[in-house]
Amino acid sequence: MTLFRPCIDLHEGRVKQIVGGSLRDGTVPQTNFVSDRNAEYYSRLYRENGLVGGHVILLGPNNEYEALLALRAFPGGLQIGGGIRPDNALGYLQAGASHVIVTSWLFPEGKFNLSRLQELSLLVGAEKLVVDLSCRKKANDWVVAINRWQTITDVKLDEELFSSLAPYCAEYLIHAADVEGLRQGLDWDLVRHLSGLANKPLTYAGGANSLKDFERMQTESNGRIDLTIGSALDIFGGSEVRFQDCVEFNSRQHSGV
């Protein structure tokens, strides 16, 4: 059953919506929206509307304060990712995160390190760990992109990778970095590819621009993939999708209507 999963993206201590492919160290990224409200506001909004399982993503440094505000406003309701390592993971869980989301730490020098995954999974518990496999297209494959999607690895999103991850995590989060923030449509080829690999709950983010994307995601993934909408949402300055419509979509899904 496909559901809407909300997000709070933090950059330089502000809630923002950024074109993912424009993130580069030392440069100003292309930004769709900068909120005049803090992370706690969005966290409370999600809590009041019963939206469990959204993610807070720290895009670089100076976001810790806002992240903690969000977690404490919705205990057990939000996942957190961005710079997660063994030395900070438990602190975020204790602050109220339902799960920690790990990415770059699993890929030292761009290579997947299973022992690191096992270490973190043992520390926090597989049921509390989400693996972020955000990716970019490379030739005919999708490969993991780390370091705020700046570093392209040679790690393919394939059955072998998902099989190796499955015993050690609860979910996957995948940003399609090539279309992230563009509001020009999802990478449906990637969605179909992922639907055949997903052996755990999986959330896709990147390019959504219509409420109809939920219905198509339900069909294309056989209900195996949830969807995040960011820049297109009215609460993030977008004009394509109303937040309240997403809330009502989830309500219909839960009720079976």
Side-chain angles (χ1 to χ4, degrees), residues 144-223:
V144 176
I146 60 174
N147 185 27
R148 286 167 287 156
W149 312 315
Q150 297 174 96
T151 303
I152 313 303
T153 74
D154 290 324
V155 181
K156 298 178 182 178
L157 271 63
D158 58 19
E159 186 173 355
E160 180 181 358
L161 177 63
F162 278 79
S163 294
S164 67
L165 298 172
Y168 307 105
C169 65
E171 298 186 15
Y172 307 111
L173 172 64
I174 298 181
H175 291 82
D178 292 324
V179 298
E180 173 74 20
L182 295 180
R183 295 182 289 180
Q184 296 176 359
L186 281 67
D187 184 340
W188 291 109
D189 289 335
L190 174 59
V191 168
R192 287 185 286 271
H193 179 68
L194 293 173
S195 68
L197 296 172
N199 48 24
K200 299 275 184 178
L202 188 155
T203 299
Y204 168 100
N209 63 358
S210 169
L211 195 66
K212 293 180 180 179
D213 288 333
F214 288 114
E215 298 172 4
R216 185 172 176 184
M217 179 65 83
Q218 176 74 28
T219 300
E220 296 280 4
S221 74
N222 296 312

Side-chain angles (χ1 to χ4, degrees), residues 77-107:
L78 293 168
Q79 305 172 359
I80 187 166
I84 298 298
R85 308 174 303 275
D87 63 341
N88 63 13
L90 288 176
Y92 284 122
L93 292 173
Q94 291 164 357
S98 65
H99 300 70
V100 288
I101 306 167
V102 64
T103 315
S104 300
W105 191 78
L106 298 182
F107 297 88

Side-chain angles (χ1 to χ4, degrees), residues 56-73:
V56 180
I57 300 296
L58 286 68
L59 296 170
N62 304 317
N63 294 304
E64 179 88 2
Y65 177 77
E66 286 293 316
L68 292 175
L69 285 179
L71 296 180
R72 290 166 180 160

